[in-house]
Amino acid sequence: MRGLELLIGILLIGLGLLLFLLARPEWTGVLKTRWGKALPALPNRRGWQAMLAGFSFLVMSVGYGLILYPYFVGLSSLQPSPTPPAIAQAPTPSPTALPSPSPTPPRSPEPSPPPPTPTALPSPIPPSPTPSALACEPGVLRVIEQANMAQEAYILGRGTLEQLTAAWGDAAPEARRQGDRLRQAAQALRATIQEIRWEIRSCAPVSQPGLNLIEVRTEETWIYRASLVCPPGQSVTVDRVVTYPREIYRMAAQEGGWRIVRWSPGEGTLQQDWRCP
């Protein structure tokens, strides 16, 4: 069949070329010279020539198609058809017989546990400050520590007002007012303060407002441990934890040391209060 299709295609191409040449007006003189006569005159020669030229192109196109058709069919037959990938099936587990549960012997009733004893709430004790956070000179830091110890003794009722004034200097009224407020808050809650722990987290100078004057800023954490009476009349130990991040101390130099002339505790952050567990 391949040779027959090729032969028919060549014949159609030749026929198309012949029709195309007959449609051209310059071939009229050639035919007249070779055959001795020209083609018969047509009423609408231009229309017939256009139609004959189009028909010739159609015949040649069919001939080229017959010649090239086996080539394109051969290319498509060479491409392998895609095959779906094989899907591996998981093996189906065979059912296994489970052993029958052994009967559990009845347990004797256990006695109910005793009621829990109220314990003290754990207080968040921050880690010790690093030396780089204490940028104040040792004399300034020592004065602040002595003032804190005097206020601790005053709140616990172990220190006198004269000792508080000697440690706080001109800022003693503010230190006494803060201590009295804390003692009144404990009395309102029927709490008895038993222990006080404090820690200076940081200390750094911030300004020098005048001659022989200096202002420093500290961050301090105070833990007030107290016994609190909770229902039904049991006494528990709880902690009140307050952090003062921006305490300001103004100090004046005197006789090789420092004296507090002004103190502002700033706004404190209550981390834990006296509450019944």
Side-chain angles (χ1 to χ4, degrees):
M1 292 299 292
R2 178 71 179 89
L4 180 61
E5 293 173 354
L6 182 62
L7 180 60
I8 295 175
I10 294 174
L11 291 177
L12 289 177
I13 293 174
L15 180 59
L17 289 175
L18 180 61
L19 293 176
F20 179 75
L21 293 176
L22 291 176
R24 305 299 299 170
E26 57 266 18
W27 279 86
T28 304
V30 176
L31 293 176
K32 184 177 181 180
T33 303
R34 185 174 295 273
W35 293 345
K37 61 179 179 179
L39 293 176
L42 297 174
N44 188 3
R45 179 176 295 274
R46 290 184 179 274
W48 282 98
Q49 288 177 351
M51 184 178 65
L52 195 59
F55 184 70
S56 66
F57 281 115
L58 178 62
V59 173
M60 286 189 291
S61 299
V62 174
Y64 278 115
L66 288 175
I67 294 174
L68 299 177
Y69 175 74
Y71 174 74
F72 289 108
V73 172
L75 287 181
S76 61
S77 63
L78 293 177
Q79 296 179 357
S81 59
T83 58
I87 301 176
Q89 296 184 355
T92 305
S94 59
T96 58
L98 298 177
S100 58
S102 58
T104 305
R107 299 178 60 184
S108 59
E110 298 180 355
S112 58
T117 305
T119 56
L121 298 177
S123 59
I125 300 177
S128 301
T130 57
S132 59
L134 303 177
C136 297
E137 61 178 89
V140 172
L141 194 59
R142 185 166 51 252
V143 171
I144 297 176
E145 291 175 348
Q146 292 175 355
N148 287 349
M149 288 187 291
Q151 191 176 30
E152 172 188 347
Y154 177 76
I155 295 174
L156 294 174
R158 304 171 185 170
T160 63
L161 186 58
E162 290 76 12
Q163 294 173 343
L164 185 71
T165 304
W168 282 91
D170 297 341
E174 180 65 23
R176 179 183 179 182
R177 189 174 69 87
Q178 294 292 336
D180 291 341
R181 287 179 57 186
L182 184 66
R183 293 164 68 174
Q184 292 172 3
Q187 292 176 1
L189 295 174
R190 299 174 61 188
T192 303
I193 302 176
Q194 298 176 341
E195 180 186 356
I196 297 178
R197 289 179 294 170
W198 51 269
E199 189 172 17
I200 301 175
R201 308 292 302 157
S202 65
C203 180
V206 292
S207 65
Q208 188 172 0
L211 186 62
N212 298 330
L213 292 177
I214 187 175
E215 280 191 356
V216 298
R217 181 176 60 201
T218 64
E219 178 183 353
E220 301 179 16
T221 299
W222 286 69
I223 301 176
Y224 307 94
R225 177 159 294 179
S227 61
L228 187 65
V229 178
C230 298
Q234 294 180 345
S235 178
V236 296
T237 303
V238 292
D239 290 344
R240 176 186 174 96
V241 183
V242 187
T243 297
Y244 300 92
R246 299 179 63 87
E247 289 194 48
I248 301 296
Y249 293 86
R250 176 176 292 188
M251 299 185 182
Q254 62 174 14
E255 299 178 358
W258 297 92
R259 176 183 174 85
I260 302 176
V261 296
R262 184 178 176 184
W263 173 58
S264 175
E267 190 70 22
T269 302
L270 182 62
Q271 300 178 359
Q272 183 175 316
D273 203 358
W274 294 316
R275 294 178 182 174
C276 293

